[in-house]
């Protein structure tokens, strides 16, 4: 099974959010012999333009028009980005909450890949249908405050509802969130939240229903399997 780790934080080795995701991925590496992982760091990636010729190309394709050489050469970058996303069986998205929502690079990436004919289509009745089938997604988030269910800030969480909506729209029904709340309240609160989220990540890896996975009887060190791991300093 192929896992695509989509990183949406600029902090690299300083990121607590990545530390939680690494715990999940390391556990999966030890349990499943057929796991491969690729990493897409959105703050380092050269994402395709979502303007100009690519907007023109999108609407040409939606109306069944052929692309000329120029528009096709521009659209190729969108095509490659979508296909790389579609190749994965499992997605792990690592993202902090920024201003109650997702960082701008993650929104940009979503706008690049949610394309008709790739992630969704319109049926004969004009109703949108998601094309992602049998995919699993885990979203690991960190939040400065406590936005957990029942908290005073819960209504201000636009991160989880947005990601659930957009990936549900394209067909992802197996979607799990691991949220580290209260990371900026105090050092003690950060440690408690981090350890709790890491525990949730390891438990999910051990007990989750992973697609096309073959369990490995002996846990293997992630480093021995060539994993690219980003760990807090």
């Amino acid at each position: 099974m192929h896992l695509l780790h989509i990183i949406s934080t600029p902090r690299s080795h300083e990121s607590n959010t990545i530390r939680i995701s690494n715990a999940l991925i390391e556990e999966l590496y030890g349990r499943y012999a057929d796991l491969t992982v690729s990493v897409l760091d959105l703050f380092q990636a050269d994402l395709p333009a979502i303007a100009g010729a690519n907007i023109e190309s999108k609407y040409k394709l939606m109306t069944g028009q052929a692309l000329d050489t120029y528009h096709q050469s521009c659209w190729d970058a969108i095509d490659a980005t979508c296909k790389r996303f579609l190749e994965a069986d499992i997605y792990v998205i690592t993202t902090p909450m920024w201003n109650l929502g997702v960082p701008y690079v993650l929104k940009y990436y979503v706008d690049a890949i949610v394309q008709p004919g790739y992630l969704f289509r319109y049926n004969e009745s004009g109703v949108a249908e998601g094309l992602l089938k049998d995919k699993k997604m885990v979203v690991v988030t960190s939040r400065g405050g406590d936005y957990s269910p029942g908290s005073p800030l819960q209504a201000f969480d636009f991160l989880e509802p947005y990601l659930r909506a957009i990936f549900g729209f394209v067909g992802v029904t197996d979607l799990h969130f691991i949220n580290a709340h209260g990371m900026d309240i105090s050092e003690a609160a950060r440690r408690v939240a981090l350890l709790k989220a890491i525990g949730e990540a390891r438990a999910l890896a051990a007990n989750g229903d992973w697609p096309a996975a073959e369990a490995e009887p002996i846990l293997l060190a992630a480093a021995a399997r060539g994993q690219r791991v980003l760990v807090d300093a």
Side-chain angles (χ1 to χ4, degrees):
M1 57 181 179
H2 179 205
L3 185 154
L4 177 61
H5 185 191
I6 301 165
I7 297 175
S8 179
T9 170
R11 299 187 65 227
S12 186
H13 298 285
E14 301 298 322
S15 169
N16 287 308
T17 326
I18 289 178
R19 187 173 182 179
I20 300 165
S21 295
N22 281 344
L24 172 72
I25 295 170
E26 288 167 4
E27 191 76 17
L28 288 174
Y29 255 114
R31 291 178 177 275
Y32 299 105
D34 63 341
L35 179 68
T36 61
V37 176
S38 59
V39 177
L40 176 59
D41 185 336
L42 297 180
F43 277 93
Q44 302 297 323
D46 184 15
L47 296 175
I50 313 172
N54 278 338
I55 292 294
E56 296 170 5
S57 298
K58 176 177 180 174
Y59 286 102
K60 284 178 179 289
L61 292 171
M62 288 177 64
T63 55
Q65 301 179 56
L67 299 183
D68 57 37
T69 302
Y70 170 70
H71 283 86
Q72 185 62 59
S73 64
C74 296
W75 185 256
D76 284 345
I78 293 281
D79 181 78
T81 302
C82 292
K83 287 179 177 177
R84 180 179 181 185
F85 182 82
L86 289 168
E87 286 171 354
D89 305 298
I90 303 166
Y91 307 101
V92 174
I93 297 178
T94 298
T95 181
M97 174 186 281
W98 279 14
N99 296 323
L100 310 181
V102 299
Y104 64 91
V105 292
L106 181 53
K107 178 60 168 66
Y108 192 100
Y109 179 67
V110 168
D111 289 341
I113 62 173
V114 178
Q115 301 289 348
Y118 292 87
L119 271 65
F120 75 97
R121 68 182 177 187
Y122 292 102
N123 64 21
E124 294 178 355
S125 301
V127 177
E129 295 180 339
L131 298 178
L132 294 187
K133 306 298 182 183
D134 302 319
K135 305 281 191 177
K136 187 178 185 74
M137 178 175 288
V138 180
V139 182
V140 177
T141 83
S142 59
R143 295 102 178 286
D146 182 0
Y147 296 81
S148 60
S151 71
L153 292 177
Q154 180 185 1
F156 295 96
D157 178 2
F158 296 98
L159 186 159
E160 182 170 338
Y162 168 66
L163 293 179
R164 283 192 181 277
I166 190 62
F167 287 111
F169 174 78
V170 297
V172 179
T173 57
D174 187 353
L175 199 162
H176 188 92
F177 274 76
I178 300 172
N179 299 320
H181 294 278
M183 298 292 284
D184 294 341
I185 294 175
S186 68
E187 185 174 345
R190 181 186 302 115
R191 177 172 176 79
V192 169
L194 185 60
L195 291 176
K196 180 176 182 293
I198 288 174
E200 290 179 17
R202 288 176 174 157
L204 179 62
N207 303 313
D209 183 18
W210 301 97
E214 298 178 3
E216 190 165 346
I218 301 176
L219 295 181
L220 299 176
R225 303 183 62 79
Q227 179 187 8
R228 176 183 172 184
V229 178
L230 299 175
V231 182
D232 282 13

